[in-house]
Amino acid sequence: MKIIVANWKMNGDLELVAKFIKEINLVRTENTVVVCPPAALITSFSDFRYHIGAQNCSCEDCGAFTGENSPKLLKSLGCRYVIIGHSERRTLFNETNESVYKKWEAIVRNGMSPIVCIGETSEERSSWKETISNQLKPFIGKQIDSTIVAYEPVWSIGTGQIPEISEITDVLTFVRDLLKTNTKLLYGGSVNSKNAPSILNNADGVLVGGASLKSAEFSKIIQGAD
Ligand code: PGA
């Protein structure tokens, strides 16, 4: 069973949602498909055949936190998954390994599955083990069966460059050894319908950014996972 996650980032509108639902609802798969649109679009996915997730959430269930989205509310809107620790959140919004862990606790507390993003920058490429160990440190020894980890090398996101498949498997093996659980391990970063099949042969799934905004391309990625 593979997991195919669409991360729309801050893209999309009601028109794209309608087109996406119409086209992706025609695709049949036994694999898990999740779309993570901007929070304001979540409720417009009520007719979607597959799962909905969020791209971020607060670590608090409610209160005076202007502009934040509560995990409790996201759950009540039908979200099953929440992406946390995406590199864009880490670099542009100062998310730290500690704040990612607090969000993780809130997501689990509210009965959803966290998708924890990890990955090294291009400067850290030769010392990726250190970066990834630090990012995962809060989770080691914890009960994280419902958690999904997405390895997304920062230098690969939106650049069209992907690591060699052997490099991806080296990192996923390292993560598996570190966490010592059956956590599902995804790869993300410049995934498209051409490279997805070989990545999916070596990972539990993919996290797809840009290519998930084109429903024809995203359909092909889903179909290639069967
Ligand atoms: P990309 O983004 O597929 O556009 O590289 C992936 C991500 O940031 O999750």
Side-chain angles (χ1 to χ4, degrees), residues 7 9 86 88 152 156-159 188-191 207-211:
N7 174 14
K9 311 192 180 188
H86 190 280
E88 287 149 21
E152 298 206 302
S156 174
I157 296 175
T159 61
S190 295
V191 173
L207 177 49
V208 188

Side-chain angles (χ1 to χ4, degrees), residues 18-155:
K19 184 175 184 314
F20 188 88
I21 292 178
K22 196 166 157 214
E23 293 181 20
I24 304 300
N25 277 2
L26 295 173
V27 181
R28 296 287 188 275
T29 179
E30 295 298 313
N31 292 312
T32 301
V33 176
V34 184
V35 60
C36 302
L41 289 176
I42 286 170
T43 53
S44 53
F45 274 85
S46 53
D47 294 333
F48 190 47
R49 168 183 289 275
Y50 299 106
H51 301 294
I52 307 293
Q55 298 174 13
N56 177 38
C57 73
S58 170
C59 60
E60 303 287 345
D61 286 353
C62 61
F65 303 102
T66 303
E68 290 290 277
N69 284 303
S70 146
K72 197 172 174 191
L73 174 63
L74 293 172
K75 166 81 179 181
S76 75
L77 297 179
C79 287
R80 294 266 290 265
Y81 300 86
V82 185
I83 297 172
I84 46 173
H86 190 280
S87 70
E88 287 149 21
R89 303 258 359 139
R90 291 179 191 264
T91 52
L92 303 172
F93 302 97
N94 303 322
E95 269 188 18
T96 61
N97 295 336
E98 290 68 33
S99 64
V100 171
Y101 182 70
K102 280 186 147 187
K103 290 178 184 199
W104 177 85
E105 286 182 308
I107 295 162
V108 172
R109 179 171 76 234
N110 282 285
M112 296 179 288
S113 293
I115 302 175
V116 181
C117 298
I118 57 167
E120 78 287 358
T121 62
S122 54
E123 295 76 38
E124 293 164 341
R125 221 174 148 180
S126 58
S127 56
W128 61 268
K129 285 188 179 172
E130 194 183 333
T131 303
I132 284 173
S133 304
N134 284 334
Q135 290 169 334
L136 288 175
K137 202 183 262 168
F139 302 100
I140 295 171
K142 299 283 183 333
Q143 185 59 3
I144 58 164
D145 291 348
S146 69
T147 299
I148 294 165
V149 173
Y151 169 53
E152 298 206 302
V154 180
W155 52 269

Side-chain angles (χ1 to χ4, degrees), residues 162-183:
I162 70 160
E164 299 293 333
I165 296 293
S166 61
E167 293 176 289
I168 296 175
T169 44
D170 281 354
V171 175
L172 298 187
T173 305
F174 179 77
V175 171
R176 174 86 60 225
D177 288 349
L178 206 60
L179 294 176
K180 295 188 178 57
T181 65
N182 287 327
T183 309

